[in-house]
Amino acid sequence: MSNNPIRVAVTGAAGQIGYSLLFRIASGAMFGPNQPVILHLIEIPDEKAMSALQGVVMELDDCAFPLLKGTVATSSLDEGFKGVNWALLVGAVPRKQGMERKDLLGINGKIFTGQGQAIAKNGASDVRTLVVGNPCNTNSLIAANNARGLDKNRFFAMTMLDENRAKTQLARKAGVDVTAISNLAIWGNHSATMFPDYFNARIGTRPVPDVIGHREWLEKDFITTVQQRGAAIIKARGLSSAASAANAVVDTVRNLTTPTRTGDWFSVGVHSDGSYGIEKGLIFSYPIRSDGKNWEIVKDVPLNEFSRAKITATENELKEEKAMVADLLPK
């Protein structure tokens, strides 16, 4: 095994998603069975959090992962992001009772301002950043805009969890295996306005609406279920999604670093170049393809009036969020 290790930073590393994610990365699920990794584990400068982080390091040690070539456990952003090739920004303040979305944006926005600056200052020359902490699209926007000198096309927001959720709902409704679902794109914001595009998705070789003829279910129940799935899990579990979110982080990075299957695409929030009339500069989820090194927005995906209306609604929400954090976006 002669490959140089990939350095991967994970913020909120002792949190629920971080805890579910680290062992997947160390086992080879993210970068493959022949790629060594060094994990940079970042937590807040709090005695309880740092103690928990040390426990996580001990567990990683006790797994004796052949691919894990080292760990860095720290509360320092400079140390945590030093030389990293991937920054997975998982940690964020959760929304609490009585808290408005604007409040959450303001609190987390300041966190991602500092992280964007630290990544630009300390990361490797090829560093890429995936934001998971919510509201992830706008947090990614803040981090990208504060990472002076870095290409904004290296910043992403996770919508793969929504794609995975949507695929499962379609597969169950059609009575097929989830592997039969392809070309399922999430458009827009990772929020209750996202649009899971079933019109262009396929079950086997057939368009979803041809297989699932229940138009009302597709237009209402399906979309609502995907949009509200996170809230439903919190209600059932008493805690937010963790293992499924961690799994989606692995899927996202793998999709960006391996060639996309011919004819297919996947979902991730990227820096909008104006494609499909979306405002330039927003972090917007599109159908994406990768050659393993570079990604591109899939062109000429047909959109009908229903789809356009849904996409406009989610774009408008992102514009509103951008306006709320305008003071955190350097001119």
Side-chain angles (χ1 to χ4, degrees), residues 200-274:
N200 291 295
R202 306 187 78 80
I203 298 176
T205 60
R206 300 170 63 196
V208 164
D210 288 359
V211 178
I212 301 173
H214 197 325
R215 179 176 171 180
E216 185 175 2
W217 182 85
L218 288 168
E219 289 186 357
K220 295 179 181 178
D221 293 358
F222 166 67
I223 293 175
T224 301
T225 297
V226 177
Q227 290 174 337
Q228 300 292 337
R229 186 69 166 184
I233 288 172
I234 291 173
K235 184 178 179 180
R237 188 170 173 259
L239 296 165
S240 58
S241 306
S244 58
N247 178 69
V249 176
V250 172
D251 286 347
T252 302
V253 175
R254 195 169 57 232
N255 279 323
L256 286 165
T257 54
T258 57
T260 307
R261 186 175 61 182
T262 302
D264 203 357
W265 54 67
F266 63 94
S267 309
V268 67
V270 299
H271 186 256
S272 172
D273 61 359

Side-chain angles (χ1 to χ4, degrees), residues 5-319:
I6 291 176
R7 291 183 177 269
V8 185
V10 179
T11 67
Q16 285 206 89
I17 296 174
Y19 187 79
S20 297
L21 174 61
L22 295 172
F23 301 90
R24 298 285 306 280
I25 300 172
S27 70
M30 183 173 282
F31 297 106
N34 300 309
Q35 179 57 62
V37 294
I38 296 172
L39 290 174
H40 289 230
L41 315 181
I42 304 172
E43 260 300 346
I44 59 173
D46 170 85
E47 185 177 348
K48 186 176 180 182
M50 291 306 294
S51 177
L53 187 61
Q54 287 304 317
V56 173
V57 172
M58 291 163 70
E59 284 205 79
L60 284 165
D61 289 344
D62 292 350
C63 288
F65 288 117
L67 294 172
L68 183 59
K69 300 306 178 184
T71 56
V72 176
T74 183
S75 61
S76 163
L77 295 182
D78 288 338
E79 183 182 6
F81 291 124
K82 188 173 183 179
V84 300
N85 309 102
W86 275 94
L88 308 178
L89 307 187
V90 175
V93 174
R95 187 169 177 176
K96 297 174 180 144
Q97 190 171 1
M99 187 182 286
E100 298 294 331
R101 193 172 184 85
K102 183 176 182 179
D103 300 327
L104 189 64
L105 282 164
I107 295 167
N108 281 329
K110 292 179 177 64
I111 295 171
F112 288 87
T113 296
Q115 290 181 355
Q117 293 167 348
I119 290 166
K121 178 183 174 184
N122 300 285
S125 59
D126 65 348
V127 64
R128 286 185 273 183
T129 300
L130 173 64
V131 178
V132 180
N134 285 318
C136 65
N137 292 61
T138 298
N139 286 339
S140 184
L141 177 75
I142 293 166
N145 277 273
N146 282 279
R148 294 291 179 95
L150 290 186
D151 187 341
K152 291 183 176 64
N153 286 331
R154 293 188 182 186
F155 286 79
F156 307 93
M158 190 175 80
T159 54
M160 181 56 63
L161 178 55
D162 310 304
E163 179 184 324
N164 287 342
R165 288 166 169 169
K167 283 182 173 179
T168 298
Q169 295 302 315
L170 291 175
R172 287 188 173 174
K173 185 69 172 178
V176 299
D177 191 85
V178 72
T179 57
I181 313 298
S182 66
N183 300 87
L184 193 291
I186 301 294
W187 295 83
N189 198 6
H190 172 65
S191 75
T193 67
M194 75 182 83
F195 174 53
D197 183 3
Y198 61 85
F199 289 103
N200 291 295
R202 306 187 78 80
I203 298 176
T205 60
R206 300 170 63 196
V208 164
D210 288 359
V211 178
I212 301 173
H214 197 325
R215 179 176 171 180
E216 185 175 2
W217 182 85
L218 288 168
E219 289 186 357
K220 295 179 181 178
D221 293 358
F222 166 67
I223 293 175
T224 301
T225 297
V226 177
Q227 290 174 337
Q228 300 292 337
R229 186 69 166 184
I233 288 172
I234 291 173
K235 184 178 179 180
R237 188 170 173 259
L239 296 165
S240 58
S241 306
S244 58
N247 178 69
V249 176
V250 172
D251 286 347
T252 302
V253 175
R254 195 169 57 232
N255 279 323
L256 286 165
T257 54
T258 57
T260 307
R261 186 175 61 182
T262 302
D264 203 357
W265 54 67
F266 63 94
S267 309
V268 67
V270 299
H271 186 256
S272 172
D273 61 359
S275 293
Y276 297 93
I278 302 304
E279 181 179 298
K280 289 184 179 180
L282 294 176
I283 299 289
F284 194 89
S285 183
Y286 286 102
I288 300 293
R289 287 194 183 116
S290 173
D291 64 5
K293 293 183 178 179
N294 300 301
W295 59 266
E296 63 178 5
I297 298 170
V298 180
K299 306 300 183 187
D300 302 320
V301 175
L303 299 173
N304 58 26
E305 187 176 346
F306 179 89
S307 300
R308 279 283 178 192
K310 294 292 186 184
I311 290 170
T312 297
T314 195
E315 179 192 10
N316 286 340
E317 183 181 54
L318 282 169
K319 288 179 181 177

